Amino acid sequence: MSQVDITIGLPENYEQLKTSSNRSSNWRERLSAVEELGKWEHAKIMDILNHRMNNDLVYAVQEAAYRQLQLLGESPQKPARRKGELFKGVNKVLLRVKKSLPAGHSYEEFKDKLKRMREDIYDTYEGDKGDEFDAWLQGVWSSLGSK
């Protein structure tokens, strides 16, 4: 574990960090906010970190919140990686996106439309799958029924 200088109290940009930590369509912003909040020791911050650790859909954010809580002297239970669908009915949503495109569309067109229509789903799975996101999404796209 790396050593971090911990400051007691709330940062001046607390409200902005709190908002960023809850930005549902941007896992990178949540991750950055969690890492910044972990430099401050305060009950409100502990609540945010615990919430992210227990409720974020992206495992990297959960894990970062876990590490930050440890650095702040807490002893949280390490979160388990979620299995299965991160969003209930995600395959129906993906099928709807595919059916909204013309027959013979490309994977890139599907990917772009998903990002525009359901940025929350796109972002969450991108964060969860990491480097394997494109392979996963292309596999799902090719397995979905055609128009």
Side-chain angles (χ1 to χ4, degrees):
M1 239 180 285
S2 63
Q3 189 61 15
V4 177
D5 288 333
I6 305 294
T7 305
I8 296 178
L10 287 172
E12 287 182 24
N13 61 342
Y14 169 74
E15 289 300 326
Q16 177 188 351
L17 289 170
K18 180 180 170 184
T19 300
S20 292
S21 75
N22 289 309
R23 183 94 51 220
S24 65
S25 62
N26 193 331
W27 71 270
R28 288 177 181 89
E29 189 174 340
R30 292 193 313 274
L31 180 64
S32 178
V34 160
E35 289 172 346
E36 182 63 28
L37 286 167
K39 298 176 184 175
W40 297 83
E41 188 174 343
H42 192 280
K44 288 182 177 183
I45 288 174
M46 301 295 210
D47 287 345
I48 291 170
L49 293 176
N50 273 300
H51 183 74
R52 284 295 108 216
M53 181 182 73
N54 293 317
N55 299 298
D56 207 281
L57 295 176
V58 175
Y59 190 69
V61 177
Q62 287 183 302
E63 209 171 32
Y66 167 76
R67 284 191 312 273
Q68 296 304 80
L69 285 165
Q70 284 183 313
L71 290 171
L72 291 169
E74 297 291 305
S75 300
Q77 182 175 347
K78 188 168 183 172
R81 183 179 278 277
R82 296 175 199 260
K83 303 217 184 298
E85 292 183 349
L86 300 177
F87 284 85
K88 185 177 180 180
V90 72
N91 285 335
K92 288 181 183 179
V93 172
L94 297 175
L95 182 58
R96 228 176 285 130
V97 171
K98 185 170 184 172
K99 285 184 172 185
S100 73
L101 291 163
H105 67 273
S106 70
Y107 163 69
E108 289 301 324
E109 290 171 309
F110 169 76
K111 181 179 172 184
D112 183 57
K113 183 135 190 195
L114 173 63
K115 189 172 186 176
R116 284 184 284 120
M117 283 179 69
R118 289 299 305 265
E119 187 177 5
D120 57 337
I121 290 175
Y122 183 96
D123 184 77
T124 297
Y125 278 95
E126 180 195 36
D128 186 65
K129 302 292 182 187
D131 293 340
E132 292 147 25
F133 173 71
D134 267 317
W136 170 81
L137 188 59
Q138 193 159 15
V140 170
W141 169 74
S142 62
S143 71
L144 291 171
S146 58
K147 211 169 187 181

